[in-house]
Amino acid sequence: MSGILDSIIINAGAEYTALDFFTHPANIQGIPVSKFSLPNSDTDTSVVSRDSTTTRAFYSIGSVPSRIPGTRDIKGFFSFLSGLAWSFNLTSPRTYRGNLINYPDDGRRYLAFDDYVSNQLLPLPPQLGRNMEYTYEDYQMYFTLYLGYYEGKNVNFGVGPIYGLAVYRMDIIEREQRISSVKNQLQELKGLRLLLEYNIGQYFPDTILYNAYLFLEITSFGDLDGKGLNVRNQVATANGLPAPSLYMNMTTYRMGVRKEIQLSKEPHKKEEGPAYPPLQNLPSAGLPPKEDAKTDTENPG
């Protein structure tokens, strides 16, 4: 595996995740609706989640950021390639819980077009509107391409886009009844990562922590194109019609310690000094040469 995957890293630390679900606003004859009751709402998106932040310990396996092979010493016009690096990550399943408010509508049925327009422009407040609970669980596999990666003696810094896949499930419960349940759905991951590492192993050179790093990592999924990550569901409107798509943004802040584990054998260091012990019958050992010893025996005295 040498040259392809030389090492993996194990992270141990804490994460803080902000998970937001939103929809694109309803259109009336092609014109986005701006809700009068929510003056601060975005005209492109409408956040429908609440209480969706989670703090917990986490475990993940990944590779150490590595330079693109053959680019470290490039000079001239293509010297910018020497700043590229890559890594991969695999996370264990994590579960998030929260509430959806007024999704896909506030629960009022409408019989005519003007009722629909009125409900969209003047939705009920969250305390009186529709309220659902959700459970979202996924595990992620993704690669990071660091477009700028600085590797110093004790400090590493990198920033770049992320691309990968997630397998997720999502349950939505309303009035103690599960109204939507999707399982083992694939989701394309797009995002951006910022990584800062500090070598704390320099203070423990003779221990197992000789190559341990304290790291700060900020990862954001779904905000590169502003459209978010589409999440499948089976919710219907108050009139029984299909609900508009539900999207997700996930921003994770991680801080902890990562430890590198070598998977390939390190190059053997050539030992200094002679490859064999010195002979014991050399003059330097205090013994006379063999010829002199023979002559003395044949001509005594």
Side-chain angles (χ1 to χ4, degrees):
M1 300 179 66
S2 178
I4 299 178
L5 183 59
D6 294 326
S7 60
I8 63 173
I9 57 176
I10 296 180
N11 296 332
E15 79 171 10
Y16 171 85
T17 300
L19 187 67
D20 293 318
F21 289 98
F22 60 92
T23 63
H24 299 307
N27 293 338
I28 298 179
Q29 296 181 351
I31 301 177
V33 176
S34 179
K35 300 178 180 180
F36 294 152
S37 62
L38 299 174
N40 296 326
S41 63
D42 193 341
T43 56
D44 295 327
T45 61
S46 178
V47 178
V48 296
S49 59
R50 184 178 59 185
D51 301 330
S52 55
T53 55
T54 305
T55 304
R56 63 161 64 88
F58 79 96
Y59 298 94
S60 66
I61 296 177
S63 64
V64 177
S66 303
R67 300 287 184 182
I68 304 297
T71 62
R72 180 181 291 272
D73 299 323
I74 289 182
K75 300 188 182 300
F77 180 77
F78 295 100
S79 60
F80 68 93
L81 295 176
S82 62
L84 301 181
W86 69 278
S87 67
F88 87 92
N89 286 84
L90 173 65
T91 64
S92 59
R94 293 166 296 174
T95 301
Y96 304 92
R97 293 180 173 85
N99 297 296
L100 300 177
I101 52 176
N102 283 350
Y103 173 77
D105 50 37
D106 58 16
R108 289 179 294 178
R109 295 177 62 89
Y110 51 89
L111 302 178
F113 181 74
D114 56 345
D115 293 334
Y116 170 77
V117 174
S118 175
N119 292 349
Q120 292 294 331
L121 295 178
L122 301 171
L124 295 175
Q127 296 80 1
L128 302 176
R130 198 171 183 181
N131 195 325
M132 296 179 287
E133 298 178 0
Y134 72 84
T135 301
Y136 177 85
E137 177 183 348
D138 74 352
Y139 69 90
Q140 304 168 346
M141 302 166 287
Y142 54 86
F143 285 85
T144 304
L145 176 61
Y146 296 98
L147 299 180
Y149 185 72
Y150 169 77
E151 188 175 11
K153 182 178 180 181
N154 294 312
V155 176
N156 301 332
F157 173 81
V159 60
I162 293 172
Y163 185 79
L165 292 174
V167 179
Y168 73 93
R169 62 172 296 169
M170 185 173 186
D171 293 335
I172 299 178
I173 300 174
E174 183 178 20
R175 297 174 183 172
E176 300 183 356
Q177 292 185 355
R178 183 178 286 106
I179 61 174
S180 177
S181 181
V182 295
K183 301 179 180 178
N184 300 326
Q185 295 293 313
L186 284 178
Q187 181 183 78
E188 185 181 32
L189 293 179
K190 295 179 181 179
L192 188 68
R193 165 171 287 181
L194 174 67
L195 175 66
L196 178 64
E197 296 181 325
Y198 179 72
N199 181 15
I200 61 174
Q202 61 179 316
Y203 304 110
F204 311 98
D206 299 324
T207 69
I208 194 175
L209 297 177
Y210 75 97
N211 62 350
Y213 282 79
L214 179 67
F215 71 88
L216 172 64
E217 178 184 285
I218 302 175
T219 305
S220 181
F221 290 111
D223 62 346
L224 286 182
D225 52 10
K227 297 180 180 179
L229 304 174
N230 186 269
V231 179
R232 181 182 175 186
N233 65 83
Q234 301 164 343
V235 176
T237 65
N239 275 22
L241 301 176
S245 296
L246 191 65
Y247 300 91
M248 178 187 72
N249 272 346
M250 178 186 294
T251 302
T252 301
Y253 307 87
R254 292 176 173 174
M255 184 175 182
V257 176
R258 66 104 164 157
K259 176 70 173 64
E260 179 182 354
I261 299 178
Q262 289 294 134
L263 296 181
S264 60
K265 185 177 180 180
E266 294 183 357
H268 179 69
K269 295 183 180 180
K270 185 178 179 180
E271 297 182 358
E272 298 180 357
Y276 51 85
L279 299 177
Q280 300 299 321
N281 60 348
L282 295 179
S284 60
L287 299 176
K290 291 183 179 181
E291 294 181 356
D292 295 344
K294 183 178 181 180
T295 302
D296 294 343
T297 303
E298 292 177 355
N299 301 307

